[in-house]
Amino acid sequence: MTSLVNLPNDDTNCGWYAALPNPPEPRRLQGEQSADYAVIGAGFAGLSAARRLAEHYPQARILLVDAQRIAYGASGRNSGFVIDLPHKFALEHPDPRHKQRLLGLNRSAIDQLQGLIERHGIECQWSHAGKYQGAVGERGLAYLDHFRGLLDNLGEPYRVVERDELNGVLGTNHYSRAIFTPGCYLMQPAALVRGLGASLPENVEVLEESPISGLERDSAGNWLLQGNNGVIRTPKLLLGTSIFTREFGYLRNRLLPVMTFASWTRPLSDEEMSRTGIQADWGLTPADHAGTTVRMTQDRRLIIRNTYKHVPRYGSSVSETVRRKIQQDHRKAFLARYPQLADVAFTHTWGGTYAISRNFTNFFGEISEGVYASACDNGVGAAWGTISGRLLADLAVGAGSQQLDDIQSVTGMPSLNPPEPFLGLGVRTRIRWAAWNSRSEL
Ligand SMILES: Cc1cc2nc3c(=O)[nH]c(=O)nc-3n(C[C@H](O)[C@H](O)[C@H](O)COP(=O)(O)OP(=O)(O)OC[C@H]3O[C@@H](n4cnc5c(N)ncnc54)[C@H](O)[C@@H]3O)c2cc1C
């Protein structure tokens, strides 16, 4: 049996999760279970895969299992942008059809999420707010010009917003210019993910706090998933385990575990809102990707996200000292933008782990006989996880479609990483170099 070494171990301080009421007691994996399909990982990818399997086979027994509570992993602790435009690196792809396929897939994910939110009344601050891509100094402005060229090439709509107009929305004159693109949606990720988990079809059984620590195949060709107090036997296994896919022995030397971090404030008062002139419900990502993301939620909390760490042992790679230093860096970024809010403290600082690859290629497909995986979304997994999970289920049941062809044509094999210690050294140096170069945008 493949024994997993590292299990998810996210910190207990995620603001999004803390803002929700306590969930009901979880159901855990107990005893010997047989399933027609098992899905490991209840983030965007796994939830979407399990739902789609149930749509195909309403009579099948589908088990969706997660090591933690639903919404405790990266899907519930991100910045809550559901993006339509692909990542900067994907936007630079030379083939326009590749980019149009990515756009189409992301937009289909947004439509699916919107449909589910409306059908099941999921309260998650879902908002068609669009997104600002903001520049502070010369470096950011150069990135913005480049971004503008990419949008022109694609024929995508956008609006250039200058400092004064930005100030009227963001309540800060920190940014010299931004490009506003209308297709992005914002949400409260923990609320959305919990809502998706609670509205799954009846034949999906959710098992939480049930880490799978071993995987093997029996003589009949079934997969055996070993838990602490039980085992699942299934002919078909879908992995929505993002970076933890490595722990099952797959893509081991191809995925890179990266953590990024966020801090937020309590909801601002009416007086604080008018003191800054800030409006509620917007999101800004940095023109230079190593810069700072800022969000204002519908319930008026300000969020700062920056800092990347290479985390070979996931959450436990980051010590308390490092976490405190990150919080101080967040504070610096906050005060640079909102000196008038120096009396407003952060209430939560948290991190989350996701997968990137050196060639920015996403993996999607059958990874071993009867095992299907969507892994490596390069840090923009809300839309990607949703669509790739759904299409992974289609692939597993043999339901072909134009979208399945599209996702297969835009995904591939993440490139091989050099061995340690060169890998860690290289990634750390690159992250530090990017942070230093981008210091004006932080
Ligand atoms: C601070 C931060 C901000 C971000 N901002 C954004 C954003 O604004 N927009 C965006 O699109 N993306 C953002 N991301 C990235 C995004 O969160 C991820 O890309 C996305 O959540 C990946 O979804 P997933 O379903 O593939 O994997 P995950 O959400 O990582 O889900 C994997 C699940 O597998 C479970 N699991 C793993 N191993 C096991 C095991 N052995 N047994 C059982 N269960 C297991 C985990 O507990 C986890 O719940 C951000 C990430 C962070 C950390």
Side-chain angles (χ1 to χ4, degrees), residues 1 15 34 38 56 108-109 111 123 148 165 172 184 196 224 272 280 292 301 321 326 362 379 390 402 438:
M1 176 164 293
S34 289
H56 282 300
S108 165
D111 288 348
E123 285 182 22
R148 198 172 170 171
E165 188 185 342
T172 172
C184 175
L196 291 172
L224 301 179
E272 286 157 349
T292 295
R301 296 173 191 268
T321 318
I326 291 168
N362 307 11
R390 179 183 171 92
Q402 182 59 52
S438 312

Side-chain angles (χ1 to χ4, degrees), residues 22 43 59-60 166 170 172 193 220 240 244 292 324 336-337 346 389 431:
N22 285 335
Q59 308 305 328
L166 277 174
L170 313 184
T172 172
V193 171
F244 300 97
T292 295
R324 271 198 295 277
R337 288 158 178 79
F346 291 140
I431 289 176

Side-chain angles (χ1 to χ4, degrees), residues 4-293:
L4 275 69
V5 184
N6 294 298
L7 290 165
N9 51 359
D10 287 301
D11 62 63
T12 56
N13 206 29
C14 174
W16 298 114
Y17 195 88
L20 300 181
N22 285 335
E25 270 297 292
R27 204 180 136 202
R28 300 184 181 87
L29 172 58
Q30 300 275 358
E32 276 205 27
Q33 305 290 335
S34 289
D36 298 301
Y37 295 91
V39 181
I40 309 181
F44 284 109
L47 284 161
S48 181
R51 182 182 296 276
R52 184 65 169 165
L53 287 170
E55 284 169 10
H56 282 300
Y57 294 116
Q59 308 305 328
R61 184 173 193 217
I62 298 156
L63 293 181
L64 171 61
V65 51
D66 201 291
Q68 310 183 98
R69 296 307 308 261
I70 284 193
Y72 213 80
S75 290
R77 53 178 61 226
N78 55 62
S79 301
F81 292 80
V82 190
I83 53 126
D84 60 335
L85 286 167
H87 209 280
K88 172 180 174 298
F89 304 99
L91 275 182
E92 281 164 355
H93 198 279
D95 181 358
R97 283 168 309 177
H98 179 99
K99 294 186 269 202
Q100 291 298 350
R101 286 183 191 118
L102 283 170
L103 261 173
L105 290 166
N106 285 340
R107 287 188 172 142
S108 165
I110 290 174
D111 288 348
Q112 283 156 38
L113 287 172
Q114 169 134 354
L116 291 169
I117 288 164
E118 284 168 2
R119 195 168 327 137
H120 300 290
I122 301 173
E123 285 182 22
C124 62
Q125 301 185 20
W126 181 252
S127 157
H128 190 175
K131 177 167 85 66
Y132 295 94
Q133 186 108 320
V136 181
E138 288 305 315
R139 184 179 169 88
L141 287 169
Y143 272 97
L144 218 50
D145 279 349
H146 180 61
F147 181 51
R148 198 172 170 171
L150 295 171
L151 292 175
D152 285 336
N153 263 336
L154 258 180
E156 280 296 310
Y158 65 87
R159 203 163 67 77
V160 177
V161 190
E162 302 292 347
R163 192 190 301 271
D164 285 350
E165 188 185 342
L166 277 174
N167 192 6
V169 178
L170 313 184
T172 172
N173 59 18
H174 189 71
Y175 292 96
S176 46
R177 185 174 300 149
I179 285 179
F180 179 80
T181 48
C184 175
Y185 283 66
L186 300 177
M187 45 85 180
Q188 203 287 31
L192 173 55
V193 171
R194 189 182 282 177
L196 291 172
S199 61
L200 286 165
E202 268 177 18
N203 61 322
V204 179
E205 295 167 50
V206 180
L207 304 172
E208 297 172 85
E209 295 185 352
S210 302
I212 298 302
S213 54
L215 189 59
E216 81 177 344
R217 204 149 185 236
D218 69 11
S219 52
N222 287 310
W223 288 98
L224 301 179
L225 285 55
Q226 186 61 57
N228 293 343
N229 298 307
V231 64
I232 300 172
R233 182 185 303 272
T234 184
K236 286 209 174 175
L237 169 63
L238 281 70
L239 296 177
T241 39
S242 184
I243 186 61
F244 300 97
T245 309
R246 301 190 322 165
E247 300 295 323
F248 293 94
Y250 302 120
L251 305 171
R252 199 167 254 295
N253 299 322
R254 295 179 185 273
L255 304 182
L256 282 170
V258 169
M259 258 182 110
T260 187
F261 302 82
S263 295
W264 81 3
T265 66
R266 59 166 167 69
L268 298 188
S269 65
D270 288 348
E271 188 278 319
E272 286 157 349
M273 294 291 284
S274 54
R275 199 195 299 169
T276 46
I278 196 171
Q279 293 180 18
D281 199 21
W282 51 262
L284 178 146
T285 54
D288 172 355
H289 66 277
T292 295
T293 295

Side-chain angles (χ1 to χ4, degrees), residues 5 7 35 51 129 191 227-228 310 318 335 357 361 395 402 412:
V5 184
L7 290 165
R51 182 182 296 276
N228 293 343
H310 175 229
V318 181
L335 291 176
S357 61
T361 297
L395 181 70
Q402 182 59 52

